[in-house]
């Protein structure tokens, strides 16, 4: 009877040892997965920060482009205005010359 109990104790100890090994393996696997999760979370955070920076850069580029377009448009309008003033002055000279010839 004692031998039977000893065998049962040995079997239970082997089973406990197997369960302990499985628990250790699962803890290691959980630890690895947890580290991967932390790494991916940090990667996602970094990616989001990078995307926000890019969006801000894009907004600044668009703002600068709009300002340059306005500056160019103003310069073009000023140039056109100057041309029109010269044409007007030329036209007045021609009218004055024509008026003097008519008199």
């Amino acid at each position: 009877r004692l031998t039977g109990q000893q065998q049962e104790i040995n079997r239970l100890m082997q089973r406990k040892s197997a369960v302990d090994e499985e628990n250790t393996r699962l803890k290691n696997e959980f630890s690895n997965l947890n580290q991967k999760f932390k790494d991916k979370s940090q990667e996602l955070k970094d990616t989001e920060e990078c995307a926000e920076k890019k969006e801000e850069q894009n907004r600044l580029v668009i703002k600068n482009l709009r300002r340059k377009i306005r500056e160019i448009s103003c310069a073009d309008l000023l140039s056109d205005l100057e041309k029109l003033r010269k044409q007007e002055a030329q036209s007045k000279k021609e009218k004055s010359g024509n008026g003097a010839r008519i008199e």
Side-chain angles (χ1 to χ4, degrees):
R1 180 175 170 204
L2 188 60
T3 305
Q5 288 178 341
Q6 188 63 42
Q7 287 177 344
E8 179 67 16
I9 289 172
N10 287 343
R11 189 178 60 76
L12 290 172
M13 291 298 290
Q14 287 175 350
R15 187 171 165 203
K16 180 191 179 300
S17 178
V19 168
D20 288 345
E21 287 177 17
E22 179 68 6
N23 282 343
T24 300
R25 187 188 67 77
L26 289 173
K27 283 179 185 179
N28 288 337
E29 186 176 340
F30 174 77
S31 178
N32 290 338
L33 289 172
N34 196 34
Q35 186 59 47
K36 285 180 182 179
F37 173 76
K38 288 178 182 177
D39 293 345
K40 289 293 181 181
S41 294
Q42 185 61 45
E43 184 180 331
L44 177 61
K45 183 180 174 184
D46 294 345
T47 301
E48 287 172 344
E49 287 175 3
C50 184
E52 287 174 7
K53 287 178 184 177
K54 288 286 185 185
E55 286 176 9
E56 182 61 27
Q57 287 175 350
N58 287 343
R59 281 192 289 273
L60 288 173
V61 166
I62 289 169
K63 183 179 177 181
N64 288 334
L65 285 173
R66 286 181 177 156
R67 184 177 327 136
K68 286 183 180 184
I69 287 170
R70 281 193 301 272
E71 289 171 2
I72 289 169
S73 295
C74 287
D76 288 347
L77 289 172
L78 287 172
S79 175
D80 291 347
L81 180 61
E82 188 61 32
K83 286 177 187 175
L84 289 172
R85 284 181 178 162
K86 287 180 182 178
Q87 288 175 357
E88 181 184 25
Q90 182 66 30
S91 203
K92 284 182 181 179
K93 280 183 184 177
E94 290 175 3
K95 283 183 183 179
S96 293
N98 290 339
R101 277 188 268 163
I102 290 174
E103 290 178 5

